[in-house]
């Protein structure tokens, strides 16, 4: 057999047969390997179900099965996707939009290898020398210990004195957080009350509760006198006492002062991961101030005073990455020793990757929880850019999210580079600029939800344009500039805004109109809107952060829609509403209302099987006999938003409260969502639109939307623009942070930040109408908008 026809070279396709995950309708298709394939279609058409839920999921599951049973026991357990067969799979690396964990100790430097390289570099070159890499880490505390070590020597047991010490870089005062907390005692307790009267104002410390009993029975202070009458010693014990054993109802318990107890149970957690009522309490009771000892650098004195050419590690991580890369280049010219040269080469390559991917405006000390979805995704990409791996399947979820049109070409070239190294690149995408670089396009539709899940088109870009599908017809469609702009009804004043890279910005945001904030990624848009809007202005912020909820949560529970539905069922059948909640009395006793039974099989994967008792319907059999409008509660929860709206607007089945909420969901473009669908299955864009729907009835007059076109198909953007118009026409002021030119062209007022990112941004470079921006065309946004509208 000739070398040119080797059997191994015949496997050049990923073959999918009979895919049925979520709404996919038994689809079969072939995806070329070592090519760039873009998956298109409206939001909810089944793109993610095919790419992530089927191809990537099966690849990861099969790789996990190659590990030993012991290792598998510590790994996430993945079920086999609903597909007849998958052939030609390669290792899948997923780069999605999930925001990075908002751990308070996590920074851009710690989530990449940059901090590790820097710490090692300082441990080798910095003067004075203070220790190994750990001495420069704000996550490593300095510890020392002394004691006796018992050593067995023959028949003798000898006690030898020993000491141990480790030098860490953590600031002892703020414990590496960079901030210290100050508590407002008036928000913790009412000092006019005694402990017997329930003085606590802290969530969970209810009158007659466990905590109150523990304090009252501790014996360190009188339980029957007001707290304000305590002596200095008693107040100290009440607020600050170290953990001490006490007897409570005959049991040994640990008593601890109120403040350390609250710090451990509440303040040590990240604010974003707190439950809403705890977060509200923390916001009231706690003021966060920059640590006075380390000045917010998180580092101990020895780590801050050890320097390379006059630069400390705190100063190096605070530099903009473009400046840090330049500093490392000067070090490379000065230090050519074998111990340091490879380290500097690797660090330089990593920082160059940041700049190349468009994140040169960040600094390594930026907390990872403050990164946007697009920034998080690009930060994850960095580790793959210089990878020596080839013949890998890279799976990207809308990699152009958060990117200005100016930056999209950079992202496109990175995707092409990955492909040219011999990898298969699969991209879920809506932007025409990103679809344009595809070797192969797969269009799903025709619509969303139950009306989607069918392959509409497979082939090249020219064929897509001529295909007549929704994507094909909208690919080259442009929105024209707004001819008549609305008149403002007032202004929202921002004065001296200087958060992050903003340079004492003064700007008046007009009210009663549609205002769009534009500028390249990192120019200061989010800092201006989220960080500088006046407090108490009645602003409703709708962003893309994850909706917190368990796998039992769904659109009906999140929006409050289930409440009027349950009441309607209860009234129609003469029973109580609790029966129609799968988290309460009506839950199937076998699966506890989950609809599935999770079977833990030790070291093997956890298997989810539909509950045999309720057949996956989540309710007791007797509850399912009650009907409303001819349907039981499980059938109602299986309806799409549009179907449910029709049901609850009918003459005999009218439920105004439910119809109103469903109307809001329909208006924001979620008519295809099933009202009982788990929230965990929603995309970032769907989550944002779900939040917007819940706020549409709010009294607040100012709405702030953060990139609402995320995850929206070109055809859906028209519906979004109609919705924004409706909000403004109803008397609301709408402020939108956006990169999509169709939204810019539709604005009444544009505020453009720039001219660049990071230190090169933070200034207002244009204010005015879209037509004026196009006529001016001096900013990056202006040039791209002019090109878009064809002016």
């Amino acid at each position: 057999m000739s070398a040119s026809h080797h059997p191994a070279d015949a496997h050049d396709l990923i073959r999918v047969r009979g895919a049925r995950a979520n709404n996919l309708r038994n689809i079969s298709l072939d995806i070329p390997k070592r090519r760039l394939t873009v998956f298109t279609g409206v939001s909810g058409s089944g793109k993610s179900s095919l790419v992530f839920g089927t191809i990537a999921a099966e690849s990861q599951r099969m790789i996990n099965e190659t590990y030993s049973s012991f290792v598998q026991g510590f790994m996430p357990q993945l079920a086999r996707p609903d597909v007849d067969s998958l052939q030609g799979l390669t290792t899948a690396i997923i780069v999605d939009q999930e925001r990075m964990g908002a751990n308070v100790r996590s920074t851009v430097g710690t989530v990449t290898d940059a901090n590790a390289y820097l710490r090692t570099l300082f441990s080798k070159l910095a003067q004075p020398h203070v220790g190994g890499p750990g001495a420069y880490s704000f996550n490593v505390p300095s510890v020392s210990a002394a004691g006796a070590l018992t050593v067995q020597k023959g028949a003798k047991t000898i006690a030898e004195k020993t000491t141990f010490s480790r030098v860490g870089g953590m600031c002892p005062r703020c414990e590496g957080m960079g901030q210290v907390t100050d508590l407002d005692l008036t928000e913790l307790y009412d000092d006019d009350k005694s402990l017997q009267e329930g003085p606590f104002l802290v969530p969970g410390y209810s009158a007659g509760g466990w905590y109150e009993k523990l304090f009252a029975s501790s014996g360190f202070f009188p339980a029957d006198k007001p707290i304000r009458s305590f002596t200095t010693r008693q107040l100290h014990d009440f607020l600050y006492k170290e953990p001490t054993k006490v007897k409570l109802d005959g049991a040994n318990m640990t008593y601890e002062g109120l403040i350390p107890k609250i710090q451990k149970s509440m303040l040590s957690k990240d604010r974003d991961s707190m439950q809403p009522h705890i977060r509200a309490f923390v916001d009231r009771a706690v003021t966060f101030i920059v640590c006075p000892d380390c000045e917010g650098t998180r580092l101990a004195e020895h780590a801050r005073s050890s320097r390379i050419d006059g630069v400390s590690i705190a100063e190096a991580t605070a530099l903009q990455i473009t400046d840090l890369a330049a500093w490392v280049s000067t070090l490379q010219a000065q230090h050519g020793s074998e111990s340091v040269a490879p380290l500097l080469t690797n660090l330089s390559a990593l920082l160059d990757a940041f700049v190349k991917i468009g994140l040169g405006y960040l600094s390594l000390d930026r907390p990872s929880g403050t990164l946007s979805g697009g920034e998080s995704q690009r930060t994850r990409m960095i580790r793959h850019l210089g990878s020596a791996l080839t013949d890998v399947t890279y799976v990207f979820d809308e990699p152009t999210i958060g990117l200005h049109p100016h930056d999209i070409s950079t992202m496109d070239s990175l995707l092409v580079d990955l492909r040219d190294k011999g990898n298969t690149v699969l991209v879920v995408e809506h932007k025409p600029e990103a679809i344009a670089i595809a070797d192969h396009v797969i269009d799903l539709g025709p619509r969303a939800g139950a009306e989607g899940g069918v392959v509409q088109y497979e082939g090249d870009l020219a064929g897509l344009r001529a295909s007549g599908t929704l994507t094909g017809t909208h690919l080259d469609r442009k929105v024209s500039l707004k001819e008549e702009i609305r008149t403002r009804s007032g202004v929202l004043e921002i004065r001296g805004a200087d958060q992050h890279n903003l340079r004492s910005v003064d700007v008046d945001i007009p009210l009663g109109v549609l205002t769009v904030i534009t500028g390249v990624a990192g120019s200061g848009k989010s800092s201006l809107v989220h960080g500088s809007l006046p407090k108490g202005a009645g602003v409703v912020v709708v962003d893309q952060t994850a909706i917190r909820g368990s796998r039992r949560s769904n659109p009906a529970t999140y929006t409050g829609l289930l409440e009027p539905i349950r009441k309607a069922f209860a009234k129609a059948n003469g029973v109580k509403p609790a029966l129609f909640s799968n988290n309460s009395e009506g839950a199937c006793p076998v699966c506890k209302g989950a609809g599935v039974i999770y079977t833990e099989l030790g070291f093997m994967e956890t298997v989810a099987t539909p509950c045999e008792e309720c057949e996956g319907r989540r309710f007791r059999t007797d509850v399912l006999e009650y009907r409303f409008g001819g349907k039981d509660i499980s059938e109602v929860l299986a309806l799409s938003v549009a179907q449910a709206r029709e049901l609850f607007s009918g003459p005999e089945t009218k439920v105004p409260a439910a119809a109103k909420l469903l109307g809001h969901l329909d208006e924001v473009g979620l008519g295809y969502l099933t009202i009982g669908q788990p929230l965990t299955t929603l995309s970032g864009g769907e989550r944002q639109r779900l939040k917007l729907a819940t706020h549409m009835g709010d009294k607040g007059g100012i709405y702030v939307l953060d990139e609402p076109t995320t995850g929206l198909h070109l055809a859906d953007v028209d519906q979004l623009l109609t919705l924004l118009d409706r909000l403004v026409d109803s008397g609301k002021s709408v402020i939108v942070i956006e990169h999509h030119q169709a939204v810019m062209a539709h604005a009444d007022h544009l505020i453009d930040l720039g001219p660049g990112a990071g230190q090169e941004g933070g200034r207002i470079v244009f204010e005015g109408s879209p037509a004026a921006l196009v006529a001016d065309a001096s900013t990056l946004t202006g040039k791209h908008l002019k090109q878009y509208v064809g002016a």
Side-chain angles (χ1 to χ4, degrees):
M1 187 178 284
S2 68
S4 61
H5 291 96
H6 195 285
D9 295 333
H11 303 283
D12 54 359
L13 293 172
I14 295 174
R15 293 184 171 88
V16 181
R17 299 290 178 267
R20 292 176 296 276
N22 298 327
N23 68 331
L24 297 180
R25 296 199 221 166
N26 206 35
I27 66 173
S28 301
L29 71 164
D30 294 336
I31 301 165
K33 283 189 186 176
R34 292 174 286 282
R35 296 291 182 272
L36 199 159
T37 301
V38 175
F39 294 80
T40 60
V42 295
S43 184
S45 61
K47 304 182 300 296
S48 295
S49 299
L50 176 61
V51 180
F52 293 94
T54 304
I55 298 168
E58 181 63 357
S59 172
Q60 286 201 313
R61 188 184 75 84
M62 295 182 85
I63 289 165
N64 288 3
E65 284 188 353
T66 64
Y67 296 112
S68 67
S69 300
F70 175 75
V71 174
Q72 285 184 49
F74 297 97
M75 298 175 78
Q77 308 301 332
L78 305 170
R80 188 180 186 283
D82 190 3
V83 59
D84 291 338
S85 77
L86 283 166
Q87 293 174 346
L89 289 180
T90 65
T91 304
I93 293 174
I94 297 174
V95 189
D96 60 16
Q97 304 166 29
E98 282 300 311
R99 297 214 174 191
M100 297 208 170
N103 188 307
V104 281
R105 298 188 180 281
S106 176
T107 64
V108 170
T110 61
V111 296
T112 57
D113 291 330
N115 267 26
Y117 286 137
L118 269 180
R119 292 197 301 267
T120 310
L121 184 68
F122 271 81
S123 70
K124 290 182 180 297
L125 296 180
Q127 293 298 327
H129 179 74
V130 295
Y136 298 92
S137 170
F138 58 77
N139 283 328
V140 178
S142 293
V143 293
S144 58
L149 194 68
T150 307
V151 183
Q152 195 79 28
K153 290 189 176 178
K156 293 181 179 177
T157 301
I158 300 167
E160 294 181 358
K161 282 191 174 178
T162 184
T163 58
F164 165 79
S165 66
R166 179 185 69 194
V167 180
M170 179 187 285
C171 167
R173 172 128 184 215
C174 65
E175 297 182 357
M177 303 283 194
Q179 294 179 319
V180 288
T181 54
D182 205 5
L183 282 162
D184 180 355
L185 298 182
T186 61
E187 294 288 351
L188 304 186
Y189 57 85
D190 180 351
D191 64 359
D192 287 327
K193 291 182 177 179
S194 70
L195 287 163
Q196 289 176 347
E197 294 171 320
F200 295 113
L201 306 173
V202 184
Y205 287 60
S206 54
W210 180 256
Y211 287 121
E212 191 193 285
K213 267 188 192 172
L214 184 58
F215 275 92
S217 309
S218 66
F220 297 119
F221 30 76
D224 56 351
K225 291 184 180 174
I227 295 171
R228 68 164 60 246
S229 69
F230 284 5
T231 64
T232 307
R233 176 73 200 187
Q234 289 168 343
L235 191 62
H236 178 272
D237 286 349
F238 174 62
L239 292 176
Y240 303 107
K241 193 168 182 69
E242 298 290 314
T244 311
K245 291 285 183 207
V246 295
K247 287 270 188 192
L248 176 59
D249 296 338
N252 282 328
M253 302 299 298
T254 301
Y255 170 83
E256 187 175 21
L258 180 64
I259 286 176
K261 195 180 253 321
I262 290 173
Q263 281 174 327
K264 282 178 190 169
S265 64
M266 295 180 190
L267 305 190
S268 61
K269 294 177 182 167
D270 178 66
R271 183 185 174 281
D272 290 338
S273 64
M274 294 174 181
Q275 292 172 289
H277 68 291
I278 305 250
R279 190 184 310 147
F281 162 73
V282 169
D283 288 345
R284 282 197 314 273
V286 180
T287 52
F288 290 91
I289 56 171
V290 172
C291 174
D293 286 11
C294 69
E295 297 175 340
T297 62
R298 306 166 178 246
L299 291 160
E301 171 61 29
H302 63 261
R304 301 196 307 277
S305 59
S306 178
R307 297 171 179 271
I308 301 174
D309 297 345
V311 178
S312 71
I313 191 166
E315 290 163 348
T317 54
L319 286 172
Q320 187 166 305
I321 287 172
T322 46
D323 298 336
L324 181 60
W327 180 68
V328 171
S329 295
T330 62
L331 291 183
Q332 280 181 294
Q334 295 167 10
H335 302 278
S337 66
E338 286 183 12
S339 64
V340 178
L343 190 63
L344 285 166
T345 304
N346 288 341
L347 177 57
S348 182
L350 179 63
L351 297 174
D352 287 345
F354 268 104
V355 176
K356 185 180 179 186
I357 208 164
L359 293 177
Y361 61 86
L362 295 178
S363 59
L364 296 182
D365 64 357
R366 170 93 174 255
S368 61
T370 65
L371 298 180
S372 67
E375 286 169 337
S376 298
Q377 189 174 25
R378 280 176 281 150
T379 302
R380 286 193 192 94
M381 268 188 86
I382 283 166
R383 69 185 67 173
H384 305 302
L385 294 181
S387 171
L389 288 172
T390 187
D391 254 333
V392 168
T393 300
Y394 284 99
V395 185
F396 291 97
D397 190 4
E398 292 188 64
T400 58
I401 279 180
L403 286 184
H404 188 271
H406 172 71
D407 302 315
I408 290 178
S409 57
T410 311
M411 176 59 72
D412 286 351
S413 65
L414 293 171
L415 295 173
V416 170
D417 287 349
L418 279 176
R419 177 203 65 189
D420 292 349
K421 282 169 63 177
N423 297 305
T424 304
V425 181
L426 308 181
V427 183
V428 172
E429 192 51 85
H430 292 292
K431 297 266 175 72
E433 303 96 320
I435 299 170
I437 61 166
D439 301 311
H440 189 70
V441 180
I442 294 172
D443 189 34
L444 280 96
R447 286 287 177 176
E451 295 172 31
V454 177
V455 176
Q456 297 290 289
Y457 171 79
E458 288 181 80
D460 62 9
L461 189 65
L464 177 66
R465 282 196 166 96
S467 66
T469 67
L470 203 58
T471 308
T473 52
H474 278 79
L475 208 53
D476 298 313
R477 189 162 170 271
K478 310 285 190 199
V479 171
S480 55
L481 285 172
K482 201 168 197 175
E483 291 177 8
E484 288 185 27
I485 59 171
R486 298 177 180 91
T487 307
R488 64 181 66 183
S489 60
V491 293
L492 196 62
E493 290 186 2
I494 293 178
R495 297 289 179 267
D498 57 2
Q499 189 178 35
H500 300 315
N501 66 333
L502 295 177
R503 303 189 184 185
S504 295
V505 171
D506 293 340
V507 67
D508 290 338
I509 297 178
L511 297 177
V513 300
L514 173 59
T515 303
V516 177
I517 315 285
T518 61
V520 296
S523 59
K525 302 182 300 297
S526 296
S527 302
L528 180 69
V529 176
H530 296 310
S532 310
L533 282 177
K535 294 262 190 300
V539 176
V540 175
V541 177
V542 185
D543 59 16
Q544 295 176 33
T545 51
I547 292 169
R548 305 210 175 271
S550 66
R551 55 191 172 200
R552 292 170 172 273
S553 303
N554 54 48
T557 58
Y558 178 76
T559 58
L561 171 65
L562 192 59
E563 195 62 27
I565 292 176
R566 284 166 48 200
K567 284 178 179 170
F569 263 91
K571 188 177 178 183
N573 293 281
V575 290
K576 53 184 174 179
L579 286 176
F580 303 100
S581 168
N582 63 310
N583 291 326
S584 186
E585 288 182 36
C588 163
V590 177
C591 64
K592 307 288 188 289
V596 289
I597 306 264
Y598 295 96
T599 312
E600 304 282 347
L601 297 176
F603 57 81
M604 291 167 68
E605 66 182 65
T606 299
V607 177
T609 50
C611 172
E612 290 181 9
E613 175 72 19
C614 66
E615 297 175 344
R617 291 184 292 183
R618 300 185 284 191
F619 293 89
R620 287 180 358 212
T621 315
D622 58 321
V623 172
L624 294 174
E625 289 175 7
Y626 298 119
R627 297 189 168 264
F628 181 83
K631 297 183 185 299
D632 64 42
I633 184 70
S634 70
E635 288 169 337
V636 167
L637 290 173
L639 294 174
S640 70
V641 166
Q643 291 166 334
R645 186 182 186 184
E646 195 179 320
L647 172 70
F648 294 116
S649 304
E652 292 178 11
T653 54
K654 201 168 194 176
V655 183
K660 186 180 177 185
L661 279 168
L662 289 161
H664 292 330
L665 287 166
D666 212 356
E667 284 170 18
V668 299
L670 294 179
Y672 62 89
L673 271 192
T674 306
I675 62 172
Q677 182 177 334
L679 289 185
T680 49
T681 63
L682 267 55
S683 68
E686 285 169 337
R687 284 197 290 259
Q688 187 180 19
R689 297 200 295 285
L690 183 61
K691 285 183 191 173
L692 177 59
T694 62
H695 287 301
M696 280 180 69
D698 284 5
K699 297 284 189 287
I702 304 168
Y703 281 57
V704 172
L705 279 71
D706 196 345
E707 290 189 63
T709 60
T710 298
L712 278 189
H713 186 267
L714 300 159
D716 295 327
V717 173
D718 293 346
Q719 188 177 359
L720 176 74
L721 294 175
T722 306
L723 172 67
L724 295 178
D725 278 342
R726 195 180 303 135
L727 284 172
V728 177
D729 292 339
S730 70
K732 310 280 187 193
S733 302
V734 180
I735 303 166
V736 181
I737 300 171
E738 191 53 83
H739 292 294
H740 201 297
Q741 291 110 316
V743 182
M744 294 178 197
H746 199 73
D748 296 307
H749 189 78
L750 286 173
I751 298 173
D752 195 23
L753 279 96
Q759 291 173 5
E760 293 165 23
R763 292 197 295 269
I764 305 284
V765 291
F766 175 84
E767 277 189 89
S769 68
L773 179 64
V774 168
D776 176 57
S778 61
T779 71
L780 282 170
T781 306
K783 286 171 188 164
H784 283 276
L785 187 58
K786 184 175 184 177
Q787 198 178 330
Y788 174 82
V789 296

